[in-house]
Amino acid sequence: MSPDDPARSRPLEHSVSDLAASDLAADRDLVDLAEVSGVATAYRDAEGALVQAAPRTVRAVLRLLGIDPSDPAAALTAAREAPWRRRLPACAVVSAAAPRPIVVHLPAGTAARAELELDSGRRIPLDPPGDPAERRNLDGEPWEARPLTLPAGLPLGDHVLHVAVGSRRLRCAVVAVPDAVPGPAALAEPARAWGWMIQLYALRSASSWGMGDYADLVDLVDWSGQAGADVLLVNPLHAAAPTLPVAASPYSPVSRRFAAPLYLRPEATPEYARVDERTRAVVDEFAREARRDGRPDGLLDRDAVWRAKSAALELLFRAAGGSSSPDDRSGPDDGSDPDDRSGPDGDTDAAIQGLDDFATWCALAERHGPDWRVWPAELAHPGTPAVAAARVELADRIAFHAWLQRCCDAQLAAAQAAARGAGMAAGIVHDLAVGVDPGGADAWALQDVLAVDATVGAPPDTFNQQGQDWGLPPWRPQALADAGYAPFRQMVAAVLRRGGGLRVDHILGLFRLWWIPRGAGAVNGTYVRYDAEAMLGLIALEAARTGAVVVGEDLGTVEPSVATTLARTGVLGSTVLWFEQDDSGRPLPPTRYRAATMASVTTHDLPTAAGYLEGEHVRLRAGLGLLGRSEQAETGGWRAERDALLDLLRAEGLLTGPADMTGPADMTADGAQFTPQVRTELVFALHRLLVRSPCRIVLAAPGDAFGDLHQPNLPGTVDAYPNWRLPVRDADGGEVTVERLRTDPAVARLGALLAEVRGASVADGAFLTPGRGPSAPLKEDPRPTSR
């Protein structure tokens, strides 16, 4: 299940001032401790009602943050004194243009000298600390909090603040960030853009190994860019465990810093070109096995694909000179200087932060299983002597997994280069999952900054009355700040290195997350606050370095300050047509949509356009017992919403010709709501609503051009529905391949419609033959599909 379920409501954290009637009110020290520590003791739900957190939940979450609540008064004193005893923060994220002062805590009357060391090595003397902003007695002595003023117009990047107090030397990392994500110049406001959103695994070609892969991504961006698209949004391509069974959900990876070798095309590696013909023939046979076994009953079998692909990749690794010595983990000889093994963007392996830990986890997972929490105790942390010994013993396997990551980076870099070569302003926009598998590589390597005994999710709401537990461990806010946000920055930089943009799943998690103590159940959680200003600033810094676009999934109940903050920092929000309603539940006209967003009719967790029109999602959930009310009531509610949407299409003048034939007479004998021709026209009319909006980027799912009825993921299910295993299909259930996508007139028509956001439509044949240019869209899909 994807943690990104826009249909859920997202209650707001609420102030402790509303706690007069709470059970916690009797323990004011505990309430104040929670407030100081960023733990919510109450929140407003989607209906506006005040919900109070249970005292045991608040205490449990405080413990997960490393705070002992057994003596709340003592813990509160310690929490309030902590910044004074640190003297300087470990890290300060500041605006490069107008940095805020940094507060230094000093004994009263102490003289101090300060200078800022820029990342270039230049040192800038600073004025002495200013007048005290606050005073406090610490260990019986008077202390003062005094501001240090930084110069305006700092260069972007990492600097160091040095403060000398007598013989003592204090340091604070200073990260100067842009005030907003600059984004690609070609997409600067008021420019608008369009593109596609795809589940890469669901679009295979004749050459791929039973599922879409990085080489298919090259073809897809070339096709998209040649037709005028600027964006291709892909599902998360994060790494899964190298063991069987392969996890299906792309939203529960073992690492967000590293990519999935499952999507590699072995024939696209340099090693395949260099090995002898006999070895290539064996690899080709593995490919045939994957194509034969990778789609049983029309559904993706990742295990079959990975069995064949991993065997082929190991063969290439060995045949091309893969390391078998503990002293050489470099992998096959690619002709480069072994002391300067550069990645596709010029980075050396050393710059790929955490690669050795990740590869070590993979090697250990092959031996002990993919959950480090059940490994032998001596292997439970990457810094133990036993792990050091394992790095030597398993050097050969570690080298293999490091080589796989270099291959992933190279093939993803080739895809982004193809996107830019085809004229795409952004190119590939990668989806960043909200978290990682608690037993996976990142949780093992980063457990000092993750709360591995907690998971995140969502509180109860009308859609999920027991709440949601996504099973993903959260960042510990203070530990992350004390680490200079390095793990967070490395993750963002790693994803941006592979594309032209980032979609941050559940971006509200940068502001606050619903923490659930292990085993407590989703209903027994509460919110924990984060420094959103710092984290958004760091994303803006990494995006500025690559010229990337950043989009945040901000659907649901959102505090106005969140939307304001995202807009101010240049992060686009998300618009989904199904949710654009006024306070009375009526669909909004497109002119009232938010402009600073990336818009689509639907998402991977929601019905397809055709599926929504037909009520497929209602029938499906009813059949699986997932409805919270009767099927009749659910059907009535859906039909009222759909008919109101049809009324809006009619009011906008978009239901003309066949599309206006939406009465009962057009229901088909098999129970479908609309004839195939009418349904096709309605799908296109829905997308035209988005084109008429001011939304900056408009996306469509290719399956909507074919009348695909099946959504990729059905929230609330694990095995009852084939989540993340469905190919893109047409209305008859036939699979849509990359080759068909490139040549089908319905896709050309939808692309031409979307291209009108640029002020001119793309030529009818632009999706069939390369080239950009204005022309009128196709008037009618010559190949209407039937149910």
Side-chain angles (χ1 to χ4, degrees):
M1 173 180 173
S2 164
D4 178 12
D5 175 12
R8 66 176 181 260
S9 55
R10 290 172 177 152
L12 307 179
E13 180 183 337
H14 208 265
S15 169
V16 294
S17 62
D18 287 309
L19 288 175
S22 169
D23 292 339
L24 285 168
D27 194 342
R28 190 68 207 186
D29 286 336
L30 181 60
V31 171
D32 290 344
L33 176 62
E35 179 73 6
V36 168
S37 307
V39 179
T41 49
Y43 62 93
R44 293 280 178 185
D45 67 15
E47 304 301 322
L50 181 67
V51 180
Q52 298 162 354
R56 66 178 181 279
T57 297
V58 173
R59 291 189 177 92
V61 171
L62 286 168
R63 290 189 187 94
L64 292 168
L65 290 169
I67 300 167
D68 182 1
S70 58
D71 185 345
L76 178 60
T77 298
R80 286 172 171 167
E81 291 181 351
W84 294 77
R85 296 189 181 281
R86 282 195 297 266
R87 298 201 176 202
L88 279 174
C91 177
V93 180
V94 301
S95 162
R100 58 178 171 78
I102 295 176
V103 175
V104 58
H105 298 88
L106 301 168
T110 301
R113 293 177 291 105
E115 63 179 4
L116 184 66
E117 181 183 2
L118 302 182
D119 58 0
S120 64
R122 177 187 168 206
R123 289 181 174 249
I124 302 174
L126 303 179
D127 291 336
D131 293 336
E134 185 183 354
R135 292 182 172 88
R136 169 183 292 269
N137 280 335
L138 199 63
D139 299 329
E141 300 293 332
W143 279 59
E144 300 170 337
R146 299 168 61 189
L148 281 164
T149 300
L150 302 179
L154 292 175
L156 297 178
D158 296 274
H159 316 300
V160 180
L161 172 64
H162 297 274
V163 179
V165 183
S167 62
R168 185 165 184 174
R169 299 294 183 266
L170 309 175
R171 290 167 51 96
C172 170
V174 177
V175 188
V177 301
D179 291 332
V181 176
L187 294 185
E189 194 174 1
R192 298 181 69 203
W194 68 279
W196 302 104
M197 54 183 187
I198 66 168
Q199 301 291 311
L200 181 58
Y201 61 84
L203 279 168
R204 66 172 171 171
S205 67
S207 300
S208 51
W209 293 42
M211 61 177 283
D213 59 28
Y214 297 140
D216 290 324
L217 190 56
V218 172
D219 291 341
L220 288 166
V221 295
D222 178 71
W223 160 74
S224 300
Q226 293 291 347
D230 282 313
V231 172
L232 184 74
L233 174 66
V234 297
N235 60 279
L237 301 177
H238 306 315
T243 56
L244 297 176
V246 179
S249 174
Y251 288 91
S252 298
V254 299
S255 174
R256 293 184 290 178
R257 296 178 296 166
F258 297 96
L262 179 67
Y263 291 93
L264 284 170
R265 178 77 66 85
E267 300 95 318
T269 61
E271 288 74 20
Y272 179 84
R274 289 200 300 267
V275 296
D276 58 82
E277 291 186 8
R278 181 178 178 182
T279 301
R280 283 198 296 271
V282 176
V283 172
D284 294 344
E285 179 57 32
F286 281 128
R288 284 188 286 272
E289 289 179 11
R291 295 184 192 113
R292 182 191 67 221
D293 301 335
R295 292 277 180 164
D297 302 320
L299 300 176
L300 171 60
D301 186 339
R302 286 175 171 81
D303 291 355
V305 173
W306 182 237
R307 272 193 294 265
K309 194 171 286 191
S310 61
L313 290 166
E314 288 205 35
L315 180 63
L316 291 173
F317 178 73
R318 304 296 175 206
S323 169
S324 58
S325 166
D327 298 324
D328 179 10
R329 299 183 186 176
S330 62
D333 178 14
D334 58 7
S336 63
D337 182 345
D339 295 325
D340 184 21
R341 182 169 291 277
S342 295
D345 58 357
D347 286 345
T348 63
D349 277 358
I352 305 176
Q353 298 287 340
L355 177 58
D356 188 64
D357 277 349
F358 173 76
T360 299
W361 180 90
C362 288
L364 288 168
E366 291 176 325
R367 174 172 291 186
H368 299 289
D371 188 341
W372 64 270
R373 296 170 299 177
V374 296
W375 291 355
E378 62 270 20
L379 300 175
H381 192 281
T384 66
V387 170
R391 293 183 199 271
V392 176
E393 180 189 357
L394 300 174
D396 185 53
R397 298 305 301 165
I398 293 171
F400 172 65
H401 290 292
W403 173 73
L404 289 179
Q405 286 305 309
R406 290 195 293 275
C407 291
C408 289
D409 273 0
Q411 293 192 12
L412 282 166
Q416 178 62 10
R420 292 295 171 84
M424 301 182 78
I428 302 165
V429 175
H430 289 275
D431 203 347
L432 178 68
V434 71
V436 293
D437 185 327
D442 279 3
W444 178 70
L446 304 176
Q447 57 189 279
D448 295 337
V449 293
L450 289 170
V452 295
D453 288 323
T455 56
V456 299
D461 57 29
T462 54
F463 191 80
N464 293 278
Q465 297 179 8
Q466 296 303 312
Q468 296 180 67
D469 184 345
W470 305 332
L472 311 171
W475 299 112
R476 293 168 54 210
Q478 188 59 54
L480 192 60
D482 289 344
Y485 292 96
F488 178 78
R489 293 180 64 186
Q490 292 162 9
M491 174 191 70
V492 172
V495 177
L496 286 177
R497 189 175 67 243
R498 305 179 184 117
L502 186 69
R503 175 193 178 269
V504 183
D505 186 40
H506 190 51
I507 199 167
L508 305 185
L510 300 185
F511 295 80
R512 51 98 180 102
L513 276 171
W514 183 257
W515 280 39
I516 307 162
R518 180 187 290 182
V523 70
N524 295 311
T526 192
Y527 282 112
V528 173
R529 290 196 306 272
Y530 290 81
D531 189 342
E533 181 181 354
M535 298 174 84
L536 286 170
L538 294 170
I539 290 176
L541 174 62
E542 300 302 336
R545 288 172 167 169
T546 59
V549 64
V550 179
V551 180
E553 185 273 291
D554 61 346
L555 302 170
T557 305
V558 183
E559 291 178 294
S561 61
V562 172
T564 301
T565 300
L566 294 180
R568 186 178 68 247
T569 55
V571 175
L572 298 180
S574 297
T575 289
V576 173
L577 187 146
W578 305 142
F579 299 148
E580 291 302 305
Q581 299 175 344
D582 62 21
D583 292 339
S584 65
R586 301 289 298 178
L588 289 175
T591 54
R592 292 180 58 189
Y593 289 7
R594 291 182 296 159
T597 62
M598 185 168 72
S600 60
V601 170
T602 186
T603 75
H604 54 264
D605 279 335
L606 296 171
T608 63
Y612 178 82
L613 291 169
E614 294 292 353
E616 180 69 17
H617 58 302
V618 177
R619 289 190 291 273
L620 178 62
R621 291 166 60 212
L624 295 175
L626 297 177
L627 296 179
R629 53 180 176 171
S630 70
E631 182 176 359
Q632 182 179 12
E634 190 77 13
T635 299
W638 154 73
R639 192 184 298 276
E641 288 187 358
R642 185 205 61 185
D643 291 348
L645 192 54
L646 296 181
D647 288 342
L648 175 61
L649 293 176
R650 192 172 290 108
E652 291 285 325
L654 297 178
L655 293 191
T656 59
D660 198 29
M661 299 164 57
T662 56
D666 290 290
M667 293 183 64
T668 62
D670 62 1
Q673 299 292 311
F674 307 108
T675 64
Q677 184 181 21
V678 168
R679 188 168 62 233
T680 296
E681 295 304 318
L682 290 175
V683 168
F684 279 80
L686 291 172
H687 285 88
R688 192 169 291 282
L689 275 180
L690 300 181
V691 172
R692 288 190 175 183
S693 77
C695 300
R696 295 279 300 285
I697 300 174
V698 175
L699 302 183
D704 283 342
F706 294 94
D708 194 348
L709 292 166
H710 304 95
Q711 63 195 72
N713 176 58
L714 183 64
T717 65
V718 178
D719 299 319
Y721 183 80
N723 295 318
W724 315 115
R725 298 178 60 204
L726 289 165
V728 178
R729 296 193 244 187
D730 61 26
D732 295 318
E735 182 177 352
V736 176
T737 63
V738 173
E739 291 84 1
R740 184 175 174 187
L741 197 66
R742 295 178 65 109
T743 59
D744 195 284
V747 180
R749 180 188 173 195
L750 182 54
L753 185 159
L754 297 177
E756 294 177 17
V757 302
R758 299 170 65 99
S761 58
V762 173
D764 296 352
F767 281 83
L768 310 183
T769 57
R772 294 173 180 249
S775 179
L778 288 172
K779 299 299 182 184
E780 185 176 352
D781 179 3
R783 294 176 51 192
T785 54
S786 60
R787 185 178 172 85

